[in-house]
Amino acid sequence: MILRRLNARLDPVNHDEWLAHIDRMKDMYPLRYDKDVLSGPYVIEKLYEVTDGDAVISTDVGQHQMWTAQYYKFKQPRQLLTSGGLGTMGYGLGACIGAKMGVPDKTVINIAGDGCFRMNMNEIATAVRYNIPIIQIVLNNHVLGMVRQWQTLFYGKRYSHTVLNDKMDFVKVAEGMGARAYRVTSKEELEPVLREAIEADEPVVIDCQIHCDDKVFPMVSPGAPIEDAFDANDLKI
Ligand SMILES: Cc1ncc(C[n+]2csc(CCOP(=O)(O)OP(=O)(O)O)c2C)c(N)n1
Ligand SMILES: [Mg+2]
């Protein structure tokens, strides 16, 4: 368990001590992911790189939201628009369009999962109608990944209502609404597509195909205290 053995002797009001502690923790438990394949963390890190960390980012709710918070190193207040623990699937695209209206000179991007994008993707038509050049990235794992992760780890892999195995083609749907659209299936394809999207003066949808069993760590078991956060090493998976 990550936190329990480290928190014990910290002075609750000594901020320097806590910041040093956080640095120690980051050294001991760096965020890790498989660098060989296209993944949510890879997309977010590349996005950070090509936008110089200056984009305004909105998210929906799920694993993609956690990866965004973990891997995009936000520099300014109000640079991340997310519904946080309220968990409002479908929030991101409308927030993104609104943000772009507010800061038209900035690159404004919504990071959604495929489940969340299904909830309000019709708003791409709104962005096209008013020519609001937002970027919509869909981290498409073909599952309700956040719920699937729990079903995998705590519910014996009983995948109830979390597999989105329909024939949805987000590229065709986006093009049908008049947006420019790309599908990205490998790491190599990502960067040029991101650069084209940032240069484009029109709404863009990017469908990034990632694996259905990628997970977000660290996490906390149902009912457990935050001190019992664990990561993949604790599970030996
Ligand atoms: C309206 C609503 N329904 C259900 C949930 C529970 N929920 C939280 S995350 C999630 C999965 C989201 O799936 P997706 O958008 O594909 O994101 P992923 O976790 O795969 O990145 C669900 C169903 C919720 N937060 N809001
Ligand atoms: Mg998903």
Side-chain angles (χ1 to χ4, degrees):
M1 299 294 171
I2 291 179
L3 295 174
R4 189 174 282 283
R5 58 186 129 124
L6 290 169
N7 273 351
R9 271 168 265 106
L10 287 178
D11 176 351
V13 292
N14 184 337
H15 293 171
D16 290 339
E17 201 175 303
W18 275 94
L19 289 175
H21 175 59
I22 289 168
D23 282 342
R24 259 194 323 274
M25 301 264 290
K26 281 182 171 171
D27 285 345
M28 288 180 72
Y29 299 100
L31 293 173
R32 262 191 297 252
Y33 66 92
D34 179 356
K35 307 261 177 182
D36 292 337
V37 293
L38 186 70
S39 68
Y42 179 81
V43 172
I44 305 299
E45 279 198 329
K46 186 55 75 178
L47 189 62
Y48 175 77
E49 189 187 310
V50 301
T51 58
D52 294 324
D54 285 328
V56 171
I57 310 270
S58 58
T59 78
D60 277 277
V61 177
Q63 293 179 313
H64 59 278
Q65 178 189 31
M66 309 297 141
W67 288 320
T68 304
Q70 290 178 323
Y71 289 94
Y72 199 95
K73 299 180 183 65
F74 295 95
K75 300 192 232 173
Q76 302 290 333
R78 295 186 291 178
Q79 204 185 342
L80 170 64
L81 308 173
T82 188
S83 69
L86 294 175
T88 317
M89 290 176 71
Y91 162 86
L93 183 51
C96 179
I97 292 171
K100 184 69 183 177
M101 296 298 285
V103 286
D105 295 334
K106 287 208 169 268
T107 300
V108 184
I109 302 164
N110 182 41
I111 313 287
D114 48 319
C116 292
F117 187 51
R118 277 174 169 79
M119 296 214 163
N120 273 331
M121 61 182 165
N122 50 304
E123 297 306 341
I124 290 294
T126 309
V128 171
R129 186 180 311 133
Y130 295 106
N131 192 24
I132 305 166
I134 50 102
I135 300 173
Q136 166 66 65
I137 294 178
V138 184
L139 293 183
N140 189 357
N141 51 11
H142 302 269
V143 289
L144 299 174
M146 189 57 126
V147 180
R148 180 186 176 88
Q149 178 167 337
W150 280 52
Q151 291 173 339
T152 302
L153 298 177
F154 307 121
Y155 296 97
K157 301 192 180 177
R158 294 195 297 281
Y159 296 122
S160 176
H161 306 284
T162 50
V163 181
L164 306 177
N165 57 352
D166 49 30
K167 291 197 178 348
M168 172 64 72
D169 183 330
F170 289 130
V171 171
K172 281 188 183 160
V173 171
E175 287 174 348
M177 288 190 277
R180 189 193 290 206
Y182 300 89
R183 177 166 295 113
V184 173
T185 59
S186 69
K187 280 171 58 181
E188 295 68 36
E189 290 166 347
L190 180 65
E191 183 170 343
V193 165
L194 289 179
R195 293 196 185 280
E196 277 185 39
I198 290 165
E199 290 306 311
D201 200 22
E202 61 182 322
V204 179
V205 175
I206 305 172
D207 175 14
C208 296
Q209 300 280 320
I210 62 171
H211 197 274
C212 64
D213 278 319
D214 287 351
K215 295 187 179 57
V216 175
F217 288 111
M219 73 177 299
V220 179
S221 306
I226 190 74
E227 289 84 352
D228 286 351
F230 63 91
D231 67 13
N233 289 338
D234 293 310
L235 293 173
K236 296 192 178 55
I237 56 173

